[in-house]
Amino acid sequence: MRIVLFGPPGAGKGTQARRLVEELGLRHISTGDLLRAAVAKHTPLGRQAESYMKAGRLVPGRIVEGLAEEAMAAAGCDRFILDGYPRTVQQARWLDAFLRRQQAPLDAVISLDVTDEVIVARLSKRRTHRITGRTYHLDYDPPPRSIDPTLIVQRPDDRPDAIRHRLEVYHARTKAVEGYYRRQGLLHVVDGDAAVDVVFGRILKVIERAVVQPMT
Ligand code: ADP
Ligand code: ADP
């Protein structure tokens, strides 16, 4: 099972991917998480990516492709959810070519549909665990009191300027990826503006239909 979880920044991709990992045992491949880990370790790749990420700009494709390829290969090119990749039509083409070579086509692209207004409300109150990367929301999913509060931080790109820029990048470059997959018959749009559990139920339904019992 190979799934892409698609959507604007803050749509809930990471939150839902975590649930899917628990429910279906899939491997979660988040290019954002992989990039943040590289930045934290000060690897050469991380140093190249850092300034792009802080500003909410897309990191050059060749950097992200290397990370995505390594993670997919480590998963045996099966049973994974891609989160935050692909983010441009060019990346989607690269992914197609890579998976074709592995004879491992995508099963479904699930796009979480959320308005810009909701995104701003979610991202401005998103907080992230510095070590595990798990995300929280100050109102909807507050970090438990048992966690050392100094470990709960706001991502530098979750501040108003960077949020605005990331939304612009999404509309200018990323949204077109939907059309790319729609033309391949792989796209499933899910309304992401509901409680986490409700959205999760919607995603599971899509997976049941599209992946477990593909329509003939
Ligand atoms: P993405 O990975 O798409 O950027 P996240 O999963 O990190 O998004 O979610 C962004 C923020 O919104 C987080 O603070 C998360 O706790 C919160 N969130 C996610 N899904 C929902 C939801 N269905 N309702 C309310 N808040 C949500
Ligand atoms: P979100 O979904 O909340 O916007 P991510 O954690 O997926 O955030 O990504 C954070 C940042 O990492 C992006 O704003 C971008 O700078 C970089 N990034 C992640 N994935 C990609 C990608 N596929 N292509 C280019 N840059 C990426």
Side-chain angles (χ1 to χ4, degrees):
M1 190 185 307
R2 289 168 290 270
I3 293 172
V4 169
L5 208 48
F6 180 81
K13 302 181 297 296
T15 302
Q16 297 298 336
R18 207 173 52 241
R19 298 284 302 266
L20 287 168
V21 167
E22 285 165 13
E23 181 83 16
L24 302 173
L26 303 178
R27 190 186 289 229
H28 179 201
I29 302 177
S30 155
T31 45
D33 286 351
L34 293 171
L35 285 164
R36 274 185 293 280
V39 170
K41 281 195 225 138
H42 305 288
T43 65
L45 189 150
R47 278 200 292 275
Q48 284 180 59
E50 189 169 16
S51 59
Y52 291 94
M53 295 176 74
K54 267 208 179 117
R57 295 168 58 202
L58 292 181
V59 172
R62 62 192 155 73
I63 296 181
V64 191
E65 265 130 31
L67 287 172
E69 177 170 349
E70 200 179 314
M72 286 186 285
C77 286
D78 197 14
R79 302 196 60 73
F80 63 73
I81 313 166
L82 275 176
D83 158 9
Y85 191 89
R87 255 175 156 94
T88 62
V89 170
Q90 213 175 5
Q91 291 182 2
R93 289 206 185 102
W94 180 90
L95 180 63
D96 264 359
F98 171 74
L99 292 178
R100 208 175 303 123
R101 284 197 300 277
Q102 309 299 321
Q103 297 179 315
L106 289 174
D107 294 291
V109 174
I110 300 174
S111 173
L112 294 178
D113 188 25
V114 177
T115 62
D116 285 6
E117 219 180 349
V118 170
I119 285 164
V120 173
R122 286 188 185 174
L123 288 185
S124 52
K125 290 197 176 181
R126 172 160 71 180
R127 295 295 181 270
T128 307
H129 192 289
R130 200 142 49 94
I131 295 164
T132 64
R134 200 245 197 236
T135 53
Y136 295 94
H137 188 280
L138 293 180
D139 300 331
Y140 304 122
D141 183 17
R145 282 167 193 277
S146 56
I147 295 182
D148 173 0
T150 62
L151 293 176
I152 303 295
V153 295
Q154 184 174 33
R155 270 169 48 176
D157 58 345
D158 278 347
R159 297 174 204 272
D161 267 10
I163 293 176
R164 247 193 320 277
H165 191 66
R166 284 157 70 201
L167 274 172
E168 279 167 22
V169 169
Y170 175 76
H171 289 295
R173 313 248 338 250
T174 305
K175 178 84 179 158
V177 172
E178 265 195 342
Y180 179 85
Y181 286 123
R182 185 175 287 118
R183 285 190 287 280
Q184 294 192 11
L186 285 173
L187 185 75
H188 303 264
V189 178
V190 165
D191 180 0
D193 188 6
V196 171
D197 284 349
V198 174
V199 177
F200 185 59
R202 291 174 183 162
I203 291 175
L204 281 185
K205 250 191 215 147
V206 166
I207 291 179
E208 250 166 54
R209 272 205 328 265
V211 185
V212 183
Q213 301 160 329
M215 296 215 283
T216 49

